[in-house]
Amino acid sequence: MGLETSDDAGVYQLTGEIALIQTADFFTPIVDDPFTFGQIAVANALSDVYAMGGRPLTALNLVAFPVETLSSSILREILRGGLSKMDEAEVALLGGHSVEDPEVKYGLAVTGVVHPSKIMTNANAKPGDRLVLTKPLGTGIIATALKGGIASEESVKKIVASMVTLNRNASEWMQVLGAHACTDITGFSFIGHALEMAINSGVGIVIQSKAVPIFSEALEYANMGLIPAGGHSNRQFFSCRVEGNTDALGPLSDLLYDPQTSGGLLISLSLGKAERLVEKLKKEENIDSYVVGEVTEGPLGKIQIL
Ligand code: CO
Ligand code: CO
Ligand code: CO
């Protein structure tokens, strides 16, 4: 599996039992604390492997850092934060590469494995399935408010706790229960990634906007116009495939188009299994997840927002 299906990661079948999953992700800091930034970058980079139903095994650090102008202790903290998440995920750091750059960037190249018959793609959602989302939306808007110096401490704490959370447990439970399709919600927003699922699966998707979990402060900041550039381009790019009166949703529609960092998994599975997944994630992992919509026969490759 390569670029053509716009899935979360590339997959290369090595043997009858083992397929490699490979992915890379890095970005500029979205929080001030370097250790936390490292944690977020790693949780985000590993997420694409979890979205494919795989187990990440090894990683390489990808680093850009202005050695002339910033203290190397900051870089050490970023890497220490990253390593702490790799330890939690039982991923071995094998090395990496760094370049000098005026702007700090950090992330990982990750290699994982999956049984070839158990690869979870975004292309197998089935009509009648329910869609479960495992993290609230709004990290992009709150990060923008943080940059503007007006995000509340409370709201930043909330998005940090969410962004450093590995998608590992959610991924394991979706596999135990037998999900049909999955993707993780990142830069292309909830709507963008849901659309990829609809298009690649040849189905339609109905979203119950009231059921979508959000960080409440993000609504407030969206109302003040604190929309990241990516949110505007997501809307521009995807809205032609969205039906329903999103204007009537007000700032909630900005959250649906908000680019997420280390967002949750969007999982498609049959009705009964969706309810069990939400139950299991709460009971066994203390993860709040929500049934946010439904897969329909059509209109093909479109999203209806109710
Ligand atoms: Co992804
Ligand atoms: Co990615
Ligand atoms: Co090198």
Side-chain angles (χ1 to χ4, degrees):
M1 291 179 56
L3 298 171
E4 63 284 344
T5 58
S6 59
D7 217 311
D8 296 296
V11 183
Y12 183 86
Q13 184 166 345
L14 208 55
T15 69
E17 308 282 295
I18 301 174
L20 289 181
I21 304 177
Q22 297 197 284
T23 178
D25 244 307
F26 61 97
F27 47 69
T28 56
I30 61 163
V31 292
D32 294 329
D33 179 57
F35 185 88
T36 308
F37 168 54
Q39 289 188 307
I40 294 169
V42 165
N44 180 74
L46 297 178
S47 175
D48 279 329
V49 176
Y50 294 130
M52 303 296 290
R55 188 159 60 91
L57 291 182
T58 63
L60 302 170
N61 277 333
L62 306 174
V63 180
F65 196 79
V67 279
E68 302 288 327
T69 54
L70 275 186
S71 153
S72 63
S73 66
I74 294 176
L75 178 56
R76 271 200 304 277
E77 278 301 288
I78 294 173
L79 298 181
R80 214 167 58 82
L83 192 59
S84 77
K85 274 291 144 186
M86 285 182 257
D87 285 346
E88 181 188 335
E90 296 169 275
V91 167
L93 178 65
L94 299 187
H97 186 72
S98 53
V99 295
E100 198 174 337
D101 190 315
E103 199 171 27
V104 176
K105 301 177 190 77
Y106 175 58
L108 295 180
V110 185
T111 300
V113 288
V114 64
H115 191 284
S117 68
K118 294 191 172 143
I119 300 168
M120 191 71 61
T121 72
N122 63 13
N124 197 34
K126 297 189 191 314
D129 278 2
R130 297 302 191 272
L131 293 167
V132 174
L133 179 63
T134 66
K135 288 184 186 180
L137 304 178
T139 62
I141 290 166
I142 292 177
T144 304
L146 177 63
K147 280 200 182 101
I150 55 165
S152 70
E153 215 172 294
E154 188 59 28
S155 68
V156 175
K157 254 190 212 154
K158 279 191 213 166
I159 60 164
V160 164
S162 171
M163 291 187 293
V164 302
T165 300
L166 296 174
N167 280 328
R168 178 189 195 170
N169 292 333
S171 172
E172 285 173 2
W173 277 108
M174 82 168 167
Q175 292 169 70
V176 168
L177 293 173
H180 291 146
C182 177
T183 190
D184 61 342
I185 308 300
T186 51
F188 292 140
S189 77
F190 174 74
I191 284 185
H193 291 285
L195 259 176
E196 281 174 350
M197 186 179 278
I199 293 167
N200 288 332
S201 299
V203 296
I205 282 178
V206 175
I207 298 297
Q208 303 285 345
S209 57
K210 299 242 161 19
V212 178
I214 56 166
F215 296 107
S216 54
E217 292 91 342
L219 273 184
E220 202 182 302
Y221 303 144
N223 230 343
M224 298 163 68
L226 293 164
I227 315 292
H232 292 297
S233 46
N234 283 338
R235 184 188 290 268
Q236 229 167 40
F237 205 72
F238 300 123
S239 59
C240 59
R241 287 179 169 271
V242 174
E243 295 176 347
N245 189 0
T246 51
D247 290 342
L249 298 176
L252 178 58
S253 82
D254 295 317
L255 273 76
L256 299 177
Y257 287 110
D258 187 39
Q260 303 299 285
T261 299
S262 191
L265 297 181
L266 181 68
I267 304 165
S268 182
L269 65 186
S270 66
L271 170 60
K273 288 176 179 176
E275 283 164 356
R276 287 203 62 203
L277 179 63
V278 170
E279 233 176 74
K280 284 285 180 197
L281 287 180
K282 184 66 199 173
K283 210 172 125 202
E284 309 289 339
E285 318 291 350
N286 199 25
I287 294 173
D288 290 314
S289 63
Y290 303 84
V291 177
V292 297
E294 190 175 336
V295 178
T296 54
E297 304 248 357
L300 288 187
K302 295 231 162 122
I303 292 190
Q304 296 173 69
I305 309 235
L306 301 182

